Structure formats: C-alpha cells, structure tokens
Amino acid sequence: MARSDGLSLGYRIGWRVRYALTSVFGPAQLGTADDPQQKLRCERERRVEQARRERGTTD
C-alpha cells in the first residue's frame, strides 16, 4: 500500500496498526464482504481517491 496520496502520517500509522491487529486478533475466516482487513483496504482506497479528487489529480 504505497498509495499515501493526501493521507496524513497519523492516519497511515493508525491504519497500519489496525490492519496488523486485525490480522492477529481478527476473526478466523469470513467471506470477503465480512473481512475486516478488506474493509480497511476499501476505506483507505476511498480516502486516497477523495484526496486525489480534492487535489485534482488522477494517477
């Protein structure tokens, strides 16, 4: 996840901590729709896209 466009350092650190914690303390096996790590990845992607739109760039 090298896409840090527009995301603050605090958010990126917090996201990595939450992602790591869900891999250790998360549920055993869930479908894709219920996977907490997938939800975190989608949330991050939405934030990156929002930041790109606000800046007017599209990579």
Side-chain angles (χ1 to χ4, degrees):
M1 296 268 156
R3 298 168 295 218
S4 63
D5 302 34
L7 302 177
S8 70
L9 180 61
Y11 174 79
R12 292 187 319 234
I13 291 171
W15 186 88
R16 293 235 182 242
V17 168
R18 290 187 306 163
Y19 192 82
L21 288 175
T22 58
S23 70
V24 175
F25 296 110
Q29 291 182 352
L30 296 174
T32 303
D34 297 325
D35 183 15
Q37 287 186 326
Q38 181 64 32
K39 289 179 182 180
L40 284 171
R41 287 189 296 265
C42 289
E43 171 196 329
R44 182 180 176 109
E45 187 61 33
R46 280 192 306 271
R47 285 182 176 240
V48 167
E49 289 302 318
Q50 179 182 5
R52 286 180 182 166
R53 279 193 306 275
E54 289 174 359
R55 283 195 337 243
T57 61
T58 57
D59 284 339

